[in-house]
Amino acid sequence: MSYLPSSPDLTNIPAMLGKYPRRGILLFKLLEDIKRSCSPLNRSMRELVITYTSGLNQCDFCYNTHRAVSKQLGIDEKVFDQLKTDINSAQVDEKLKPILRYVKKLTLTPDKITQMDAQQIFDAGWDEEAFLDTIFLCAIVNSMNRFVSGIGI
């Protein structure tokens, strides 16, 4: 149920965009571009970052939606519970862990990000494109989660 007095029956993003087509379109296009573009992060890695970020934001709608997509891409559901507890012991590729730590810090404490945090991603063997894709995904998902939560979907 949305918080819009004129449309309390809006329950999903497509319905909201149907009523207000200019709102959010560019944001969605950017998200789709990053999700579908060529990237050092493969599709399942990108979906993992999206799902993890939504979980950090406590956006149940987005978290559950992307968790289902992650499962379809072959990511074991246990991983998400493990990530809630400890990134270091989660059963994900070791190379991905610095990215997940960066996403967590950028989502929860963005003012604490340092060069050292970025360097850990590069030290794990990722290039600048992977680093930028990580930041874009994190930023867009944070924005989308606030959009969904803010409108009451």
Side-chain angles (χ1 to χ4, degrees), residues 3 11-17 20-35 47 49-51 53-63 65-66 107 135-153:
Y3 301 143
T11 59
N12 58 51
I13 296 169
M16 198 289 301
L17 289 176
Y20 300 101
R22 292 186 52 178
R23 305 283 190 231
I25 296 241
L26 293 176
L27 189 62
F28 281 98
K29 284 185 178 184
L30 185 57
L31 178 60
E32 284 304 308
D33 178 66
I34 290 171
K35 284 177 64 175
E47 199 62 42
V49 168
I50 291 167
T51 307
T53 305
S54 293
L56 292 170
N57 282 322
Q58 300 175 4
C59 183
D60 293 337
F61 174 81
C62 295
Y63 178 76
T65 299
H66 290 284
T107 298
I135 294 168
F136 279 126
L137 275 174
C138 183
I140 291 168
V141 172
N142 275 296
S143 180
M144 293 300 296
N145 292 160
R146 266 92 176 152
F147 173 74
V148 168
S149 296
I151 200 163
I153 296 177

Side-chain angles (χ1 to χ4, degrees), residues 40 95 98 119-127 130:
K95 188 176 177 180
Q119 190 60 48
Q120 289 175 13
I121 291 173
F122 299 125
D123 290 347
W126 295 104
D127 63 13

Side-chain angles (χ1 to χ4, degrees), residues 66-124:
H66 290 284
R67 188 172 172 152
V69 173
S70 295
K71 186 177 177 182
Q72 291 174 348
L73 293 172
I75 298 172
D76 189 339
E77 279 192 76
K78 295 184 298 190
V79 166
F80 297 105
D81 292 328
Q82 294 168 352
L83 287 172
K84 287 180 184 178
T85 306
D86 180 32
I87 293 171
N88 293 327
S89 63
Q91 295 176 347
V92 297
D93 186 336
E94 286 297 317
K95 188 176 177 180
L96 196 55
K97 290 179 181 181
I99 285 176
L100 295 170
R101 284 192 290 272
Y102 197 88
V103 164
K104 181 177 183 177
K105 195 169 187 180
L106 187 57
T107 298
L108 300 178
T109 56
D111 60 317
K112 304 273 191 236
I113 290 287
T114 67
Q115 174 66 38
M116 179 75 130
D117 298 312
Q119 190 60 48
Q120 289 175 13
I121 291 173
F122 299 125
D123 290 347

